[in-house]
Amino acid sequence: MSQARYMILAGPTGVGKTDLAIAIAQQLKSEIIGADAFQIYRGLDLLTGKPSSEQLSAVQHHLISCLDLEVASNAQAYAMLAIEKVEKLNQRGIIPL
């Protein structure tokens, strides 16, 4: 079994990670997997720094607005979703950011 391959971009809130991630993903022909505890929920568009519709259409994003607000989640549940997404992208030859 091969190891999952991915890139991580991290930094403090409000420094422009989304725009940088989009630029990197476009350059590398990659896709973005969101890792924000609130952006994963549908309907929490305000105060979460969720990517705009323009940003979302610039590069394929995953794990953004994918859970209903009624769905309880935690770090382990997110990790399982992220691992599954990374593996699927790797199978397509994509190293996600």
Side-chain angles (χ1 to χ4, degrees), residues 25-90:
Q26 287 175 328
Q27 189 75 18
L28 299 177
K29 297 184 181 7
S30 184
E31 297 182 14
I32 296 170
I33 298 176
D36 185 278
F38 296 105
Q39 291 179 5
I40 197 167
Y41 288 103
R42 273 187 289 280
L44 291 182
D45 297 344
L46 300 177
L47 304 176
T48 61
K50 194 175 283 187
S52 68
S53 57
E54 293 82 17
Q55 291 170 318
L56 290 170
S57 65
V59 170
Q60 179 67 46
H61 284 69
H62 305 274
L63 301 186
I64 302 288
S65 297
C66 65
L67 295 179
D68 289 326
L69 286 171
E70 298 81 25
V71 175
S73 191
N74 57 37
Q76 180 184 7
Y78 168 80
M80 298 306 294
L81 290 171
I83 289 166
E84 180 182 339
K85 189 57 67 178
V86 167
E87 289 173 349
K88 286 182 180 180
L89 290 168
N90 284 177

